[in-house]
Amino acid sequence: MRHSKLVAFACLYGSLAASAFCFDGLSSQWRRKSTASKSRMSTLQSVQSEDELSSDGINRRHLLYSMLVAVAGSTTIKHQAIAYTDGVLPLTSPSVDWEKTREIMKPPLDDRDYMVYMMENGLRVILCSDPTSNEGGAAMDVHVGACSDPQEIPGLAHFNEHMLFLGTKEYPKEDSFEEFLAVNGGSSNAYTASEDTVYHFTMQAEADEKLIEGLRRFGSFFTSPLFTEGATGRELNAIESENAKNLQSDSFRVYQIEKSRQNSDHPHSKFFTGNKKTLLEDSKRNGMNLRDELINFYSKYYSANQMTLAVVGPQSLESLEKMCNDAFGRVPNRKSPKPEDQWKGIIPPFSGNSIIPSFSHIVKLVPVQDLRQVTLSWPIVYA
């Protein structure tokens, strides 16, 4: 999705829930992961629901999401920081190489400071200094999602998302990140969408050294995850549990019906969440090693040039920039191509074979809950 402007929203409640990720002329709304799906956190409970978060924590999360949405489509910033403190700053300097003239905007009553820049490794960064808050946080958008699952292993992108929380070379203990956040008033979560995977956390950040450590731990997700054999086996149970829960969710059942109306050759028709059968049993049957496939997927797609980082904290922009360069400067740039280049404009999303007819049909569903709904749906094609 292209942006003619970069907009730094102050507190756009529900911003990402109302937005859509676009693919090949279609839109696929993201679905928030239930905290119950992460069984490994059952004792720490560091992943909290919105009702359990403080209002300031909710604000931090919404702000991070909004910042990601504003910047994730921008790919041509040169290695120079662009800062502003008020009003609108047109980016017309010859040192800024944009596809066309762009602007950074923020609401008139937003007195926070922002900075947008690109690291030497190609990772896009947007920073927000908010000295009125004692909380900080970060969100990383990796531009690859379930549409890029190997045909033989549905759910691999989602499984990869789970695995990044389970130990890195610098912090090998599986629950190390959650334990760190728990003692610093923080929480974390992630979700896998059709074309993007987003990881985020918030924490108390008055002390610079604490936020520095939080960012370093978070940064190690994208430089040195372990994908240990033991964790790989155990986390399959969490994936299986999450899928079992989804089977009784009307929204997920309708979503899968919608996908069954698409061209079965288009990647959006895939089974996104995966389960034990698709991830372990079927991969074994096809002579594939699940851990090897996880590492191959990560190595292929988790590249700095496909990542966008948003960070907010009470520190100054200069301090936040230094922290980010230290924590994320080693993320490798594998010069990965955009995943959608494999199907965009090549595979039609609806014309072709589908399990359920795509158009001009009424589909009747028997819900789990006592529901009565009528839904009209149609594709939206973007020029």
Side-chain angles (χ1 to χ4, degrees), residues 1 12-21 27-30 65 69:
M1 186 183 297
L12 186 56
Y13 287 91
S15 61
L16 202 60
S19 69
F21 294 99
S27 79
S28 174
Q29 187 176 0
W30 73 280
Y65 283 165
V69 169

Side-chain angles (χ1 to χ4, degrees), residues 154-188:
L156 191 66
H158 180 218
F159 191 36
N160 178 85
E161 171 225 305
H162 276 239
M163 291 300 299
L164 294 202
F165 286 89
L166 300 181
T168 65
K169 182 178 178 181
E170 294 82 1
Y171 307 96
K173 187 178 177 183
E174 287 186 13
D175 290 327
S176 176
F177 189 51
E178 283 70 39
E179 289 178 351
F180 169 78
L181 292 177
V183 299
N184 287 285
S187 63
S188 68

Side-chain angles (χ1 to χ4, degrees), residues 14-59:
S15 61
L16 202 60
S19 69
F21 294 99
C22 298
F23 64 98
D24 199 20
L26 302 174
S27 79
S28 174
Q29 187 176 0
W30 73 280
R31 300 172 188 275
R32 185 177 182 275
K33 182 186 298 301
S34 167
T35 58
S37 68
K38 291 186 179 290
S39 60
R40 64 177 180 277
M41 302 178 186
S42 59
T43 55
L44 293 174
Q45 292 296 318
S46 64
V47 177
Q48 300 168 321
S49 69
E50 187 162 300
D51 292 338
E52 295 169 324
L53 288 171
S54 67
S55 60
D56 199 34
I58 295 172
N59 290 349

